[in-house]
Amino acid sequence: MARPQLDSWLLCATPRSGSTLLCGLLESSGVAGRPASYFNRRGLHDYSTSWQVSEGAGGRISAAYVRAARTAGSTPNGVFGGRLMAESRPELIADLTTEDDRPAPSDLELLRLHFGRIRFVHLRRLDVVAQAVSWAKSLQTHFWHPGEQVEPGAEAPHYDEELLGRLVETVEQFEAGWNRWFTEQRITPFEVTYEQLAADPLFVAHEVLDFLDLELDEGRRLVVRDRQQADHVNARWIETFKSRS
């Protein structure tokens, strides 16, 4: 097996942008790591327990935790894949900065210290209203992905214009933050849109693999593990919100 030209890659995304679909496709490649939200605060304790590694002081992400994540999230070729949501990036950077004795000259150099040769894929959704609608429905129903346990306290989906407006603004702020960070760190990510992914998921996944300089083993095929969840409720809410904006 040829040695890959990278050690790690991160999918930079926002909620309800199709990241679970893309992560599943790339995991099925067998060469692009096992991308998941390892650095989301909400999952830190569960991952730490599963990997039998201590969390940093105050529940922070420690260097030991990152090493365990890289082990769990890597495929046999040594490539690590991770999903980094917009709200988790500042926390990851702050925690790793606290861990290091000598500060790195930049966020990118800090990530290189912990993740090696790293590349970035930026996934965004052009229709921000549709993204906000999907996010609002999941917040109300507590249903995020098929097969996952639905937490108690769920509500029936109901149109909430104020909530949708806040979520549109949040997504726009998240995306502005990603773009600002890429510029500051002189990072040129591979750009993917939800719309491209939804139209042809296999084609997009192969494009990402090409960007990462990764090739499928002979006879290996990518697998689409997730489906679009939008329905007539989404369509109605989108139309109503856009008509009033």
Side-chain angles (χ1 to χ4, degrees):
M1 180 182 296
R3 185 169 185 262
Q5 299 182 41
L6 80 163
D7 300 304
S8 305
W9 69 276
L10 291 175
L11 177 62
C12 305
T14 56
R16 313 311 288 173
S17 59
S19 61
T20 298
L21 171 60
L22 186 54
C23 283
L25 278 161
L26 293 170
E27 182 177 358
S28 75
S29 73
V31 293
R34 302 181 181 91
S37 294
Y38 301 113
F39 310 111
N40 186 316
R41 279 276 197 272
R42 292 185 294 274
L44 192 61
H45 177 73
D46 288 344
Y47 278 127
S48 297
T49 301
S50 175
W51 301 334
Q52 297 182 328
V53 61
S54 298
E55 300 174 31
R60 291 196 301 265
I61 297 168
S62 65
Y65 179 91
V66 172
R67 289 193 294 270
R70 287 189 63 180
T71 298
S74 294
T75 33
N77 61 347
V79 172
F80 168 78
R83 172 170 55 183
L84 186 62
M85 305 304 279
E87 67 270 27
S88 300
R89 186 193 73 246
E91 297 171 343
L92 175 62
I93 296 298
D95 288 357
L96 294 183
T97 299
T98 302
E99 280 283 304
D100 291 347
D101 295 331
R102 287 181 289 181
S106 68
D107 293 355
L108 179 57
E109 288 305 314
L110 178 68
L111 293 175
R112 284 173 174 163
L113 286 173
H114 292 273
F115 294 94
R117 298 168 300 168
I118 188 169
R119 298 184 190 179
F120 301 85
V121 177
H122 180 209
L123 174 62
R124 64 190 178 95
R125 194 163 179 169
L126 299 178
D127 192 335
V128 177
V129 173
Q131 184 174 358
V133 163
S134 178
W135 194 356
K137 272 185 65 181
S138 291
L139 287 173
Q140 291 172 350
T141 63
H142 294 183
F143 180 85
W144 296 89
H145 305 291
E148 291 184 352
Q149 183 177 355
V150 177
E151 296 180 358
E155 304 174 356
H158 54 279
Y159 183 82
D160 186 333
E161 192 157 318
E162 182 180 354
L163 173 61
L164 292 176
R166 291 201 307 270
L167 293 177
V168 166
E169 184 176 351
T170 299
V171 171
E172 291 174 342
Q173 291 173 347
F174 279 161
E175 288 300 342
W178 275 127
N179 291 328
R180 185 166 54 250
W181 187 73
F182 291 141
T183 299
E184 290 171 351
Q185 302 302 314
R186 299 183 180 181
I187 293 170
T188 303
F190 184 75
E191 296 283 353
V192 179
T193 69
Y194 168 91
E195 287 75 10
Q196 293 170 323
L197 180 62
D200 196 337
L202 292 175
F203 177 79
V204 168
H206 279 288
E207 281 197 318
V208 174
L209 289 173
D210 287 344
F211 168 74
L212 299 176
D213 291 318
L214 296 172
E215 295 183 4
L216 295 177
D217 292 337
E218 186 175 355
R220 185 104 182 194
R221 297 290 182 269
L222 299 180
V223 178
V224 179
R225 298 175 177 173
D226 297 275
R227 58 177 176 80
Q228 295 183 53
Q229 299 176 35
D231 55 19
H232 66 283
V233 174
N234 295 63
R236 186 173 68 250
W237 289 8
I238 293 167
E239 181 180 2
T240 301
F241 187 87
K242 287 184 176 180
S243 69
R244 298 180 183 180
S245 301

